[in-house]
Amino acid sequence: KSLPEECHLANDDNGKRTSSLDKVNDAMTLMPQEPFHKEQNLNNGLQTIDKDAFYVNQREIEAHQVNLQNLCRICGGSFKNDPCKRSHPVHGPVDDEMQALLRKKERKATSWPDLLNKVFKIDVREDMDTIHPTNFCHNCWSVIQRKFSNVPCEVYFPRKGTMEWHPHSTSCDVCGTSSHGIKRKKQDPSPQGGKRLRIIAERARKVMYARSQKQVNSKSIMKKITNCKKIHLSTKMLTVNYPVNFVKSISCQICEHILADPVETTCKHLFCRLCILKCLKIIGSYCPSCRYPCFPTDLVNPVRSFLSILNTLAVRCPVKDCHEEVTLGKYSHHLSSHKEKKE
């Protein structure tokens, strides 16, 4: 072929290639438009779903907070179970009745968080409204009153321990049982249930047998247990002839000596600390005077006014050739001076 014909064929081929490339580019530009619109629609749909879920979750949390207002912060009981529907604020000041009771006991707590921390060992200062209730029931209030009152009453805490509160979730106990209070989880019956009943029955028989013993014998046994003649002062060492009832009020009800480091039980009986701890360890966890349940953790110091009266009593020194009369508060210092002289 001649040169002009070859050039003409080459130009035709180049033209065909460029036209085909233009078609391909046009097709490529047209193709991704449809999926792009689909992705946009999907994103918009997900955003609306997230917004709906957020609003639903927000509504659930608000309902959860409303349910929390009907429950006790300490025991989890419902205020609706109380016919009077009495409740007390967790973070508020102590009411007048409790304040008068604390004043009698010479206590300085003025707010509920301090009292709740002392009685139930829980700190409510860091509570959150979305997780914790803001009130506690009147039954828990009665438990606090019993702790500081002079008359023991038959009020018991409804649980073995205080409630543990958790944030709202799909399996929320608060929202499911808010009308009746939070129930305990059911425990599977253990095969040792019969054995436990037998052990409880045996313990009850032992307690009944111990109660059937005569009071005189039990007092003599407790005196032998304490064995504190050489440690504690006898009431005969008092310099003044006080009335019999007054002498009983300042003497230990176990060893019948003058109170040394006195402690008070929940049933308002006074003992020497050493005597009552020995008796609780050997005899059992009950008051030696009235058999009311008593534990070492329940022992508290008497009021300061009683201690000040006790420390001002005049006693004779029991050491030979020492006829000095000293107050009970200074007796230990006086006795230590005798030991220094001997050394």
Side-chain angles (χ1 to χ4, degrees), residues 74-273:
I74 301 163
C75 67
S78 177
F79 299 140
K80 295 176 182 178
N81 296 333
D82 185 5
C84 300
K85 295 182 179 179
R86 294 165 292 184
S87 63
H88 306 273
V90 170
H91 300 285
V94 178
D95 55 26
D96 295 336
E97 188 178 349
M98 190 66 70
Q99 189 68 42
L101 185 62
L102 292 171
R103 202 177 290 114
K104 285 181 182 178
K105 297 295 290 182
E106 297 180 353
R107 306 281 178 173
K108 291 184 178 180
T110 56
S111 62
W112 283 121
D114 296 335
L115 282 179
L116 295 175
N117 195 11
K118 283 182 181 178
V119 178
F120 298 105
K121 308 300 182 203
I122 55 173
D123 189 8
V124 298
R125 291 183 179 88
E126 297 180 357
D127 282 5
M128 297 174 66
D129 292 344
T130 55
I131 300 173
H132 304 91
T134 55
N135 296 313
F136 64 96
C137 65
H138 191 71
N139 188 56
C140 295
W141 182 91
S142 302
V143 173
I144 300 170
Q145 187 191 31
R146 188 193 66 175
K147 184 75 177 176
F148 299 104
S149 63
N150 294 324
V151 181
C153 57
E154 298 296 324
V155 178
Y156 298 99
F157 192 63
R159 289 175 172 270
K160 291 181 180 178
T162 54
M163 276 294 301
E164 292 183 3
W165 300 95
H166 304 284
H168 177 67
S169 61
T170 53
S171 58
C172 182
D173 293 331
V174 174
C175 299
T177 57
S178 60
S179 59
H180 305 289
I182 297 176
K183 296 180 180 179
R184 299 180 190 176
K185 291 182 179 178
K186 290 184 178 179
Q187 296 180 352
D188 297 329
S190 60
Q192 296 179 349
K195 189 177 180 181
R196 283 181 185 176
L197 289 172
R198 283 196 298 273
I199 292 168
I200 291 166
E202 286 175 7
R203 285 180 182 174
R205 277 196 294 271
K206 287 178 182 178
V207 170
M208 292 300 291
Y209 177 75
R211 287 180 181 179
S212 65
Q213 300 300 312
K214 292 181 181 179
Q215 290 291 331
V216 178
N217 291 336
S218 64
K219 275 194 174 182
S220 62
I221 289 166
M222 285 188 286
K223 284 182 181 179
K224 287 179 183 178
I225 290 167
T226 55
N227 192 18
C228 58
K229 286 182 181 179
K230 295 179 181 179
I231 305 169
H232 299 157
L233 281 171
S234 172
T235 53
K236 294 176 182 178
M237 292 295 167
L238 291 167
T239 57
V240 181
N241 189 16
Y242 291 108
V244 178
N245 292 334
F246 180 78
V247 174
K248 283 183 179 179
S249 66
I250 60 163
S251 58
C252 175
Q253 298 190 25
I254 296 173
C255 65
E256 296 180 347
H257 295 149
I258 300 172
L259 287 164
D261 190 13
V263 290
E264 187 179 356
T265 60
T266 50
C267 50
K268 308 304 169 189
H269 291 118
L270 293 168
F271 303 95
C272 302
R273 189 182 293 273

Side-chain angles (χ1 to χ4, degrees), residues 34-54:
E34 228 174 296
F36 177 73
H37 289 299
K38 285 182 181 178
E39 286 179 5
Q40 274 189 340
N41 293 331
L42 284 171
N43 289 331
N44 292 332
L46 288 171
Q47 284 178 0
T48 54
I49 289 166
D50 290 339
K51 284 180 182 178
D52 293 339
F54 173 75

